[in-house]
Amino acid sequence: MAKHQFQTEANQILNLMIHSLYSNKEIFIRELVSNASDALDKLNMLVLTEPKYKDVSFAPRIDIVVNKEAKTLTIKDSGIGMNEEDLMNNLGTIAKSGTKAFLENLTGDQKEDSNLIGQFGVGFYACFMVADKVEVTTKKAGEDQAFLWTSAGDGSFEIENTTQDGHGTTIVMHLKDDEDEFLEEHRIESIIKKYSNHIPFPIFMDKEKHIPAVTDDDGKEIEPSRTEIENEQINRANALWTIAKKDISDDEYKDFYSSIAHSSEEPLAWIHNKAEGAVEYTTLFYIPSKAPMDLFRVDYQTGIKLYINRVFITDDEKDLMPTYLRFLRGVIDSKDLPLNVSREILQNNATMAKIQKSSVKKVLSELAKMSKKDKEKYDTFYAEFGNVVKEGLYNDFENREKILELLQFNTLNSEETVMIEEFVKNVDEEKKEIYYITGKTSLAMLKSSPALERFKAKGIDVLVLNEEVDTIIFPMVTEYKDYKFVSVHDAKFEESEEEKKKEEEVAKSYEGLAKEFKDALGEVVKSVETTTELVESPVKLKEDKDNQEYMMYQMMKQMGQDSGMPEPKPILQINPNHELMIKLKDSADQNLINDAAHVLLDQARLFDGRELDDTADFISRLNRIISKAL
């Protein structure tokens, strides 16, 4: 017998199960049955596709056994089983890099935290909510040695050799004194029907059956009534997605979601589609009501299971659907793929490509309908997944227009978000330009940006995009239908010859101040110039888009790569009509001009959502300017 310590993270989660989560204990059955179903799924695929498993018997079933005298609850399956290495990996370690994130996401709300358990895939440990000792007997299909894993949830576990007839796994839970409810057959059956009715394998349990007394014609009792024990199937065991939509109730859809998403939250919506023709397949996609905790992790767990003719193939293939739809949970089942399809074949398979293409269009179409018919529900969806959907603009060129039509935009002239189809109704039909501004700052701050002053003066609405993802994606979005996306920094408005001449004269009169500012700022800026784009603000920053280094820097940034290149120097633009500039132009105080140049540059940086390089220097210079003004 070998004794082992749980991995630190596993021990933390184990303690959480034992001491913290009490409000939704019944989910331990959902989790263990789900694990048993996965074990049967895996064996089914291997028996059909791997020669070494061709002689392994596959008689799929899950058994639940209640022993009231011993106070044990047993869940047994005839699935793939585990060897010693599997036991160490699956029941002693949590091999997910998101473990820390899981623990940080815990809120203290027991119901909410119990949902995270399933999402994170640590469902086995949930059995310690109700058991003070757990024994796992298991034998891997195709192997001779069986093993017994035992733990009292005290930070350690033991593994020893044992014997077992046939492959599969048996979990025996020695229930705590106050957990007798899980020894009642009707309670177990109700939980199975609630969470696991559509597990595609039969679940059996012994049930008491009342046999009435037998009487003769005169009513005299010939045989007394009695109770017999019958082993009955207690779930429907039919793959829900294979049933016609009209024959499935909303409650059944919701229950199936709870089993595949490991969540007690109701889904926000579901999309059930059966395609017939050149390619036959069925999809059932769910939109969760809350974002999975690993949504923005590179190592996120995909929520889509792939079946081929109801045979489970994989739930770990991220290319089944594009990454910007990674929040989906559900099933893809096709008859037109080979059972022994490898990951490489899957990624390059024409049939899979058609299924994915059609499925994406279907999902986007259903989301578009939701946005028009049920705004409240769509607002809930968008609050959770809007920034993820935006990612599709980056690489799904075919559906870019549809994705744009799903986005909710903040705008300069509106307090409410608007959809792009509404926004373009107020766009100048001659220029057909959609103006936008991006920045990693608050919405209020970005709306106050000096770059928007000329648009405010002209009454032109602008898309105000203040999420970090916007700064990466929207510079790549060039058009919507026959409208062009134009950054506010690149917008040009027609000027008369008289206006141009006046601007040239003003710029010439400010050449001296511009040079003094440049001398004061040195290599921090590329140049200093006057602009007519400002109305209320004294200065703003302009990106030097003619600089080749700027284009390379932006390209690397959009690809999410740190090239090590220094950020290209900006151009500082000054407002010749601002009172500050007029006074500085006429000032002979070189120290004042020097301080003003630095303070105004920092002001422009703050409006751009940047941090100051030297806050102490900014404050010191500002104080000197204020002292002179008093």
Side-chain angles (χ1 to χ4, degrees), residues 376-442:
E376 185 177 347
K377 182 182 283 190
Y378 192 75
D379 287 346
T380 301
F381 162 78
Y382 199 82
E384 296 292 323
F385 306 113
N387 278 343
V388 184
V389 172
K390 280 181 190 175
E391 295 174 17
L393 297 173
Y394 187 85
N395 49 24
D396 190 351
F397 304 110
E398 183 178 350
N399 291 303
R400 182 174 277 181
E401 193 171 291
K402 291 184 176 69
I403 295 169
L404 278 169
E405 289 174 352
L406 293 175
L407 304 186
Q408 294 180 340
F409 294 99
N410 291 299
T411 80
L412 181 60
N413 296 342
S414 175
E415 294 301 315
E416 302 290 330
T417 58
V418 301
M419 309 292 272
I420 195 74
E421 291 171 292
E422 286 298 312
F423 182 82
V424 296
K425 290 177 181 177
N426 297 316
V427 168
D428 185 328
E429 281 300 312
E430 286 189 18
K431 296 189 77 172
K432 287 189 174 294
E433 292 183 340
I434 298 171
Y435 302 114
Y436 70 91
I437 184 171
T438 62
K440 292 184 287 185
T441 183
S442 70

Side-chain angles (χ1 to χ4, degrees), residues 239-276:
L240 186 80
W241 64 90
T242 64
I243 304 171
K245 285 189 282 187
K246 63 181 178 62
D247 297 327
I248 307 174
S249 69
D250 285 358
D251 284 342
E252 287 179 307
Y253 274 119
K254 292 173 186 175
D255 291 344
F256 184 64
Y257 171 76
S258 76
S259 71
I260 63 168
H262 301 274
S263 174
S264 299
E265 297 279 352
E266 287 193 0
L268 191 66
W270 54 84
I271 304 161
H272 192 179
N273 183 53
K274 184 177 177 66
E276 296 176 332

Side-chain angles (χ1 to χ4, degrees), residues 250-306:
D250 285 358
D251 284 342
E252 287 179 307
Y253 274 119
K254 292 173 186 175
D255 291 344
F256 184 64
Y257 171 76
S258 76
S259 71
I260 63 168
H262 301 274
S263 174
S264 299
E265 297 279 352
E266 287 193 0
L268 191 66
W270 54 84
I271 304 161
H272 192 179
N273 183 53
K274 184 177 177 66
E276 296 176 332
V279 178
E280 290 190 22
Y281 64 90
T282 300
T283 57
L284 175 54
F285 297 130
Y286 289 92
I287 299 171
S289 52
K290 289 193 177 177
M293 65 171 189
D294 61 352
L295 188 66
F296 291 102
R297 293 187 60 86
V298 175
D299 60 345
Y300 72 90
Q301 175 64 46
T302 178
I304 304 297
K305 292 175 178 278
L306 175 66

